[in-house]
Amino acid sequence: MSIQNKIESLGYKLPPPPQAIAAYIPANQSGNLVFTSGQLPLKDGQLMLTGKLGEGLSIEDVKEATIQAGLNAIAAASAICGGPDKIVKIVKIGVFVACSPNFTEHHLVANHGSNFLLSVFGEAGRHARFAVGVPSLPLNAPVEIEVTFQVADVS
């Protein structure tokens, strides 16, 4: 099953590649690795959700936003490597969580992204990861994800 079909079978749609909102590019390829810039939960050009965990938002509240940020990362990588089926493996993800100082369950927010990538890529979706809390994110987003992908040989 193609990656796009797998995404659709899970009830989602691969969005168009995200546009940069500042002076950067959404993804950059070096050899067989594609590094995405931090991806926000933008859908149709708008943030799906704003706010902070521990200040009105719960872990479950940000599930769909975290998945959307992951979808945006796949779209960003796909745009420069020749399509989603060129993605061979998820190497590492980083998840930034906008939260109150007392919030300590960043790993549970990150699990939404990790579990989604595992659902899409199977064993090739197993990855290293970090999850950190930050006082704020661009546009008041509650979550931001960056992903390192391994892609098919460049030849």
Side-chain angles (χ1 to χ4, degrees):
M1 181 182 294
S2 75
I3 297 301
Q4 187 149 338
N5 287 344
K6 184 62 178 176
I7 289 169
E8 289 172 5
S9 77
L10 295 169
Y12 298 97
K13 181 180 174 192
L14 187 63
Q19 299 297 308
I21 60 171
Y24 64 91
I25 55 176
N28 202 359
Q29 185 169 350
S30 179
N32 289 63
L33 296 178
V34 173
F35 304 87
T36 70
S37 295
Q39 298 298 317
L40 301 175
L42 292 165
K43 187 173 184 177
D44 301 322
Q46 301 294 318
L47 275 178
M48 294 177 64
L49 189 65
T50 60
K52 293 183 179 185
L53 280 288
E55 291 183 7
L57 292 180
S58 71
I59 294 165
E60 194 57 31
D61 289 337
V62 299
K63 179 178 182 179
E64 293 303 315
T66 306
I67 290 170
Q68 185 65 41
L71 283 165
N72 291 341
I74 295 168
S78 296
I80 65 167
C81 76
D85 291 322
K86 298 285 187 181
I87 296 171
V88 174
K89 180 176 180 54
I90 309 301
V91 177
K92 183 176 183 180
I93 73 169
V95 180
F96 299 90
V97 180
C99 60
S100 68
N102 295 328
F103 185 82
T104 60
E105 296 182 315
H106 315 91
H107 61 291
L108 298 178
V109 174
N111 279 349
H112 294 314
S114 291
N115 291 336
F116 176 71
L117 292 171
L118 285 166
S119 295
V120 172
F121 293 96
E123 281 301 307
R126 292 204 177 279
H127 53 268
R129 178 180 93 183
F130 70 82
V132 297
V134 296
S136 67
L137 288 169
L139 307 177
N140 197 28
V143 64
E144 181 174 350
I145 294 179
E146 66 173 32
V147 183
T148 303
F149 297 91
Q150 180 184 342
V151 296
D153 285 339
V154 290
S155 43

